[in-house]
Amino acid sequence: MAFNPKTNHTSDNQSVLCTTNIFSIFGMSKMLMPYYLVTIITHNKKKFEGIKENPSDDMDFMYRHFYHLAINSLGKENIIGYDCVMVSTLSNVYKAHQKKNQRDRPRRYG
């Protein structure tokens, strides 16, 4: 059984997984990364960094949304740096954030 990367097919027709969309197997249309890493740097070089959860997959909208929230809370004149990126639940950044939150706020029943 040989795989041809140009056509995304195998030489025999017995392997269905190579020609099937992997998300249709699990019943999902697409994988969502609902976590966003937001970094804000103020004029006095203070850095705010955190992960926000939002189920929207429109990255441009979320970038502007979090930027306007930062402007409303800190003021536009105080922000000299801003960044917003999507974060996977498998990334080291998210795992470190999750460990920090579990350490800071332990659950009552778990």
Side-chain angles (χ1 to χ4, degrees):
M1 180 164 31
F3 179 71
N4 185 353
K6 290 183 181 178
T7 61
N8 199 22
H9 288 41
T10 56
S11 59
D12 62 352
N13 293 332
Q14 293 180 2
S15 178
V16 179
L17 287 177
C18 293
T19 60
T20 306
N21 184 357
I22 192 69
F23 299 121
S24 65
I25 295 171
F26 300 112
M28 298 181 282
S29 61
K30 59 181 151 177
M31 298 285 284
L32 291 178
M33 291 193 300
Y35 298 101
Y36 295 88
L37 175 66
V38 180
T39 306
I40 303 167
I41 301 173
T42 60
H43 72 285
N44 57 358
K45 306 296 185 212
K46 190 170 183 181
K47 182 178 179 181
F48 297 98
E49 189 173 56
I51 293 181
K52 296 281 190 178
E53 181 180 4
N54 197 314
S56 174
D57 60 344
D58 186 5
M59 182 64 205
D60 294 331
F61 173 76
M62 295 313 301
Y63 185 92
R64 289 189 301 269
H65 174 69
F66 289 134
Y67 181 66
H68 289 297
L69 288 177
I71 287 174
N72 286 340
S73 64
L74 297 173
K76 189 172 185 174
E77 64 280 352
N78 292 331
I79 297 174
I80 62 169
Y82 173 80
D83 194 24
C84 177
V85 294
M86 282 182 133
V87 176
S88 171
T89 56
L90 302 176
S91 69
N92 293 334
V93 173
Y94 176 74
K95 289 178 182 177
H97 173 73
Q98 196 174 28
K99 278 185 181 179
K100 179 182 174 280
N101 280 348
Q102 287 175 349
R103 195 173 52 238
D104 289 347
R105 296 182 299 236
R107 290 184 171 74
R108 185 182 300 177
Y109 301 109

